[in-house]
Amino acid sequence: MIKKTSKSKISTMSLVLLLAISALVVVIPSATAQEAGTQVTYPFLGVVPNPVGVNQYILLHVGIFQQLSLAQMGWEDLYIEIEKPDGSVDTIDGIKTDSTGGTGRTYLPTQVGTYYLTAYFPEQVLTEDKTAPRIPIGTTMLASHSETVELTVQEEPTPYYPGHSTPQEYWTRPIDSQLREWSVVTGSWLEAGSSAPTTLSGNADAPETAHILWNRPLTMGGIADEAFYGWGFSHGDAYEGKWNSRIIIDGILIYSHRSNDQPEQIYHAVDVHTGEELWAKSFFDGASISFAQNLKWDGYNHHAVYPYFYVSTGGDWHAFDPLTGNLEFTIENVPSGTRVMDENGWLYIISANSQGEGYIWSQTDLLTPFEENSPTAGSWGPAGRGLPGRGGTIDAAENVNGTLTEVAQRAYIAEFTFDASLTPGVGSGWFSSQRAVAFGDKIFGLQYSRTEVLCWAISLEEGNEGDILFSETWDAPADWEAGQVEIEFNTVSLEDGAAAIWNKDALEYYCFSTDTGEYMWGPAEPEYYMNYYGWTELGERPPLMWDGKLYSTGAGGIVYCYDLEDGEVLWTYESTDPFQEYLFANNWWQYFLWIVDGKLYSSHMEHSAIEPIPRGAPFICLDATTGEEVWTAPGLFRSTRWGGRAIIGDSIMVCMDTYDLNIYGVGKGPSQLTAEIQDNVVSLGSSVLVTGTVMDVSPGTQDISKTTRFPNGVPAVADEDMSEWMLYVYKQFEQPSVNGVEIVLAAIDPNGNYMDIDRTCSDMYGNWALAFKPELEGTYQIIAMFEGSEAYYGSTATTYVTVDPAPTPATPMEPEEPDTPDTPDTPDTPDTEEPAGFAISTEVAIVAAVAVAAVIGVAAYWFLKRK
């Protein structure tokens, strides 16, 4: 179970304050007709919570009741004096309010006792830059102070909202906004093409088995008829890849498929949790989706996230609503350059050319309402109010008489120059030396030849745009030139501070710092020779960087993990092919997909596969730290070089499989547990047999192709058998021998006490059974629990049994003495000699006595038990 507790309450409390005191500032002209004079002010100070626990933050709401005219205005230099229980005084000064007249600060009381807090407003004069409704400019706002507030600080902490655990059951969108902790399991894939990031945030429940949630056919797939023995329908390699354009945004998968004989490109929107289609549309005569965006709008009127996907036509961006596919707004004539996104989802274009000229263009400043005095300036315009309005258009290059309009001009938030002689190759095309761009940070470049490697960086920090941060040249080894080796740029991570290049002929890595431009290490240990194949700059075997490590693989099918500090190989993993289906190596060619949740996902692909396609190509998930297998799925999800590879969102992987051309959603699914007792009224001392089933009820199991094969449902099986089981359920492979899942049986006895009974496992058909013997009379509630696994969320079922008193055994009847005839007197016999008949009668009597004692004992025992 993943449970995230709240971070520091400071940010939460400050946000609450902002939301509470933010208001639409209606512009009211200042009363300039009156004479300026003085005006009394009325400060306030609020303390929340009060009382509070020691070492818990409080929120201070401070200001005066008088508003100001414009959102950017505020009263200045307020301060708060805080007298602590020991008599010492703390001061919070330099406070500036917002235009409502108030603002917030936080404070941490560290002593138990009573605090005394007072807010002070210093005298200040209204000016042209600081006006207030109905008060003349030049008016002196008199100094004043608030009433003193007593704050009680106690040993016992004040409770905060307890928060929620991350999902414990199968979940779908929308997610209630109160379930903030669920954010860690969500995630979006915002790039439609091959330039998506390879390390991702969120997705904290990324798949740890091959469990399939749903599947959808993309186009005709699988093998054709008998005449072609094993040959399949086209899966797109080479150069005609299928499923190239696809995104996941906020739980919605949007993808297309277009073959050569289908000129119109139709996009399908599918719920990534259920596989349900939401809409199907084409855009602008078959135009492609380029990217998506979750935009955080934090205005003073409104605060929200707005999701969009963009279709590019020429230099225009058309923004659409993912839920409906409807057009929201258009930005025309977006300038050229590198598109980047900041932490709030805003889009920027950054350009630097070989003449030493650069600029930063901002979507933020283009679309934010520019009429600062307008009441709508604090609202998000494209949502319906302000510029450009829902369905509206704004021209990013609009000009009047050859000059950009005010709106278009202010979108260029920075223009800069730099020494182009220190950055050769910048802006020079596909093989440009520009390797990474981060808004507010830098442009990093790396240029290489057989004689030297040049690393440079240009600052994008606000106020320092265009500054050359470094330009470092490293002399290459002599054998590069002597051997005429082929060098390639490989990968870069500004977060990890490293960039790698690859000597293809020697199969060796070299690494350089993105922070200083200096050589770090190399050559590293050579890789297996087959990893030569794959042109890294064209994206066939892109290595990854994550958490201070470099990951590499290729056609040789061996994964290498290097330490970014020194190039040491930390571990390797071989994707072996036990059946020699893959003709070019002993291992399956591997292609990295991404790293998420500490797991490295990789699939087999090929540049142009032969037919019949090699069987058993593995899909691999490794622990990115240790290299240990998390799960593998031979033959389940074969990828492709030229088509769209797997993506992930909301902790659900979505991939196209080239064996059958289905799209699969992979992740943790729902289960259904049943429990029943056939003979639910028993006598005390009898055993009770509880039986039931545990089934996979994921959306894909409800398809007619599954319900006809599994009329009683698809059994839930053990994680370690999931890959084989999915081949059987979804691809009609032979039924494997698999294990079921563990079932826990508990009960609430007639006295209301909870008791554990035992554990058992279901069989491969989903059935389970467990017997137990109740010890009390009355009704038991039987609770059966499947606690869940990496493939399934858990489920519970209950049933009941009533225990009646044990039947009372029949009491043995004493035999009547038979009538005996009179017998003649017999002579006395010696004591030592007993007649045989007397001995037998004595034994019967002893046995009868023992039996009676036993009956009495049993009755007494049950009497005491009832007591």
Side-chain angles (χ1 to χ4, degrees), residues 390-424:
R390 177 165 283 131
T393 297
I394 185 168
D395 190 342
E398 184 178 6
N399 66 80
V400 178
N401 298 324
T403 303
L404 290 177
T405 62
E406 178 187 354
V407 175
Q409 281 180 351
R410 73 195 192 95
Y412 288 87
I413 60 175
E415 296 183 75
F416 56 88
T417 60
F418 56 94
D419 187 348
S421 67
L422 299 176
T423 60

Side-chain angles (χ1 to χ4, degrees), residues 41 80 154 175 177 251 289-290 300 312 320 365 399 460 652 671 735 824 850:
T41 57
I80 303 170
Q154 58 196 23
I175 305 168
S177 293
I289 292 176
S290 300
Y300 57 83
S312 297
F320 291 82
D365 291 79
N399 66 80
L460 296 177
I652 296 172
S671 64
Q735 183 178 24
V850 171

Side-chain angles (χ1 to χ4, degrees), residues 222-295:
I223 61 172
D225 62 26
E226 185 273 339
F228 309 104
Y229 185 72
W231 278 58
F233 299 104
S234 172
H235 53 75
D237 279 342
Y239 310 113
E240 297 178 0
K242 300 180 184 295
W243 207 58
N244 279 311
S245 184
R246 67 274 186 272
I247 60 172
I248 298 174
I249 179 167
D250 304 318
I252 300 174
L253 165 70
I254 304 175
Y255 69 90
S256 72
H257 167 59
R258 176 168 57 188
S259 300
N260 290 339
D261 59 349
Q262 182 186 350
E264 184 181 21
Q265 182 166 225
I266 298 176
Y267 278 90
H268 300 265
V270 171
D271 187 318
V272 77
H273 294 266
T274 66
E276 175 191 9
E277 183 163 289
L278 304 177
W279 51 262
K281 294 184 177 183
S282 62
F283 304 102
F284 304 110
D285 298 323
S288 297
I289 292 176
S290 300
F291 58 92
Q293 170 190 40
N294 270 318
L295 183 153

Side-chain angles (χ1 to χ4, degrees), residues 707-725:
T707 57
T708 51
R709 290 178 57 215
F710 302 92
N712 297 320
V714 175
V717 304
D719 288 349
E720 59 268 22
D721 297 324
M722 192 57 59
S723 296
E724 284 188 286
W725 187 247

Side-chain angles (χ1 to χ4, degrees), residues 210-212 603-604 617-619 631 633-639 653 655-659 664 666 726 731:
H211 178 255
I212 294 171
S603 64
H604 170 71
F619 189 97
W631 58 276
L636 197 54
F637 310 122
R638 182 186 180 275
S639 191
M653 180 182 81
C655 61
M656 181 196 75
D657 173 53
T658 55
Y659 284 125
Y664 290 94
V666 181
M726 291 295 98
K731 295 199 168 192

